[in-house]
Amino acid sequence: MKKIVHITNDLQRLGGVQRLLVDLMTLQNNDFKFEVILTRGKNEYVDELKALGVEVLHKSELGLLGVIKRLNKADLVHTHLFPSIYIALLSSTPTIVTEHNPHYRRRDLPLVKFLERILYKKFKKIVCISQGVKTVFLKNIKAEDSKTLVIHNGVNLDRFSQKEKLLDIKKQRTKIGMVGRFAPQKDIKTLIKLMTLLNSSFELHLAGDGDLRQEYEDYCKSLNVDKKVIFHGQVNNVPHFLDSLDIYVQSSHWEGFGIAVVEAMAAGLPTFATNVKGLDNIALTEALFEVGDVDTLAYKIQKLANNVDEYNRISQAVVQQAKHFSINNTAIEHSAIYNEVINNV
């Protein structure tokens, strides 16, 4: 059985990259032997990966030379995110890389962009998680189009209800929610500002954590909406959290793909998302809004919350939309790439 090593930064539960890797290894475990090397973070999937027989190692314990030795013993290395992608390039093993975002701040520096145009020539395949990511990547890095391909991220739909939700107009509270890191990319301040435009029957529920949490809590108080915004911290049972909501909103400035959006739709939640690459081909067209356009978002939410038939129609539509992004398809496509690269060495 061929051995594949994933090298990435961490395996935190709220990360889309991390969830994707665990789901992929679960489906591919009978075809390949997997190992994971983490360059700086921790593993929050201990039980799941232990059950699969996947060993997780840490750069802090192995040292750089130890990491390179482990990579060199594999049949294929699959690398994700900076700085893991640079470390993977030190290996003599055939390596593929996944581009998870359309925008990386390091590439705003001309020297880094020039350097990566050279370094990326070593990768056997470059996987982009959406067409939007591929378009931006090729513009920045000028890689060979023939070895750059799109494999959409996928979601294990079986973890979610995949049933339409029915709006109970008699409910005292309409719960709006979002799952994600507390980082500038996610533009959570727009969601907080949204609560100033909605009456007291609406609540905002935020599942996530990060360095900006205190700033967001202070922002809630400054806008006098702190009673309407609930901070749940890190949530390990995302399906349960989504089932508690009525509406989902992804307010990001950018996304590579938007696993959280697919998960919300698979839970039957009417889902609004910003009109940016990575989300514009996932969410329903009618559910898109421009980044920071809190007035339009408030109007869409109020309209939906007052129309049972429309709410139920959209709930049915998003469940069907989510089915296009099954992790099973993603796993099949990745396995084909792994075998192609390994067999052509």
Side-chain angles (χ1 to χ4, degrees):
M1 188 176 288
K2 299 298 184 180
K3 181 179 180 180
I4 296 173
V5 175
H6 286 288
I7 178 168
T8 189
N9 296 349
D10 62 67
L11 284 174
Q12 295 184 354
R13 284 194 174 272
L14 283 180
V17 177
Q18 296 84 339
R19 181 73 253 178
L20 173 69
L21 292 189
V22 174
D23 286 342
L24 282 178
M25 288 187 288
T26 300
L27 290 174
Q28 299 172 303
N29 201 45
N30 291 330
D31 301 317
F32 304 99
K33 178 176 176 57
F34 288 102
E35 182 176 289
V36 180
I37 296 177
L38 304 182
T39 57
R40 60 187 184 193
K42 58 183 179 179
N43 173 23
E44 295 179 351
Y45 287 95
V46 175
D47 293 338
E48 289 179 54
L49 294 179
K50 185 177 181 180
L52 291 174
V54 175
E55 187 173 10
V56 179
L57 305 165
H58 297 261
K59 175 178 173 289
S60 60
E61 299 171 352
L62 295 172
L64 181 59
L65 290 179
V67 169
I68 296 171
K69 287 181 181 179
R70 301 293 299 196
L71 296 179
N72 286 342
K73 291 180 180 179
D75 295 290
L76 178 75
V77 173
H78 190 169
T79 185
H80 313 260
L81 306 176
F82 174 85
S84 300
I85 56 173
Y86 286 5
I87 296 174
L89 287 169
L90 300 174
S91 167
S92 60
T93 302
T95 303
I96 70 173
V97 60
T98 294
E99 290 286 299
H100 290 279
N101 275 297
H103 177 257
Y104 290 108
R105 286 180 295 176
R106 68 180 187 274
R107 289 181 186 154
D108 293 336
L109 300 174
L111 180 60
V112 172
K113 186 184 294 186
F114 173 76
L115 179 63
E116 292 199 351
R117 287 180 178 178
I118 298 172
L119 293 176
Y120 269 64
K121 293 180 184 296
K122 185 180 178 183
F123 293 123
K124 299 298 184 182
K125 293 288 183 180
I126 300 162
V127 177
C128 300
I129 65 172
S130 70
Q131 185 59 49
V133 170
K134 180 180 177 180
T135 299
V136 175
F137 171 77
L138 289 177
K139 180 181 178 181
N140 286 329
I141 302 302
K142 310 293 185 185
E144 296 175 39
D145 186 74
S146 60
K147 71 174 185 179
T148 306
L149 64 150
V150 175
I151 300 180
H152 286 119
N153 273 4
V155 169
N156 181 359
L157 300 177
D158 293 338
R159 297 174 59 230
F160 304 91
S161 69
Q162 299 183 67
K163 296 179 180 178
E164 64 176 290
K165 291 181 75 80
L166 300 176
L167 179 64
D168 182 0
I169 206 164
K170 296 180 181 179
K171 285 180 63 176
Q172 293 185 338
R173 295 284 183 272
T174 299
K175 296 182 178 180
I176 303 165
M178 180 170 156
V179 178
R181 296 174 294 107
F182 286 3
Q185 173 194 351
K186 305 298 182 180
D187 194 19
I188 291 173
K189 281 190 173 181
T190 284
L191 292 184
I192 296 172
K193 188 176 179 182
L194 169 70
M195 302 314 294
T196 67
L197 303 179
L198 300 176
N199 64 37
S200 59
S201 67
F202 291 89
E203 291 179 347
L204 175 61
H205 292 257
L206 298 172
D209 216 332
D211 295 339
L212 297 178
R213 176 164 179 167
Q214 188 61 54
E215 180 180 331
Y216 293 155
E217 290 181 350
D218 293 341
Y219 189 58
C220 288
K221 292 177 181 177
S222 71
L223 296 180
N224 198 31
V225 296
D226 49 303
K227 303 297 184 186
K228 298 165 65 177
V229 181
I230 295 88
F231 290 84
H232 291 261
Q234 181 166 307
V235 172
N236 290 330
N237 191 335
V238 172
H240 178 74
F241 174 76
L242 293 174
D243 285 341
S244 72
L245 303 178
D246 301 296
I247 294 170
Y248 187 89
V249 181
Q250 191 75 32
S251 55
S252 305
H253 285 290
W254 74 86
E255 289 287 348
F257 175 75
I259 283 180
V261 169
V262 178
E263 291 180 339
M265 294 193 299
L269 288 172
T271 300
F272 297 98
T274 43
N275 186 22
V276 298
K277 292 185 184 300
L279 296 179
D280 57 358
N281 65 334
I282 298 175
L284 300 179
T285 301
E286 62 196 285
L288 296 172
F289 66 98
E290 299 304 319
V291 174
D293 188 355
V294 68
D295 294 314
T296 297
L297 179 58
Y299 171 77
K300 286 176 176 286
I301 288 176
Q302 288 172 322
K303 182 180 178 181
L304 186 68
N306 291 318
N307 189 326
V308 174
D309 292 339
E310 182 69 1
Y311 181 98
N312 296 344
R313 179 189 72 80
I314 292 180
S315 179
Q316 291 177 349
V318 296
V319 170
Q320 293 304 311
Q321 179 76 347
K323 292 180 179 179
H324 294 297
F325 304 104
S326 168
I327 189 65
N328 296 292
N329 298 329
T330 308
I332 291 170
E333 293 182 66
H334 274 89
S335 292
I337 293 300
Y338 292 166
N339 286 320
E340 178 185 343
V341 172
I342 291 171
N343 292 334
N344 287 333
V345 174

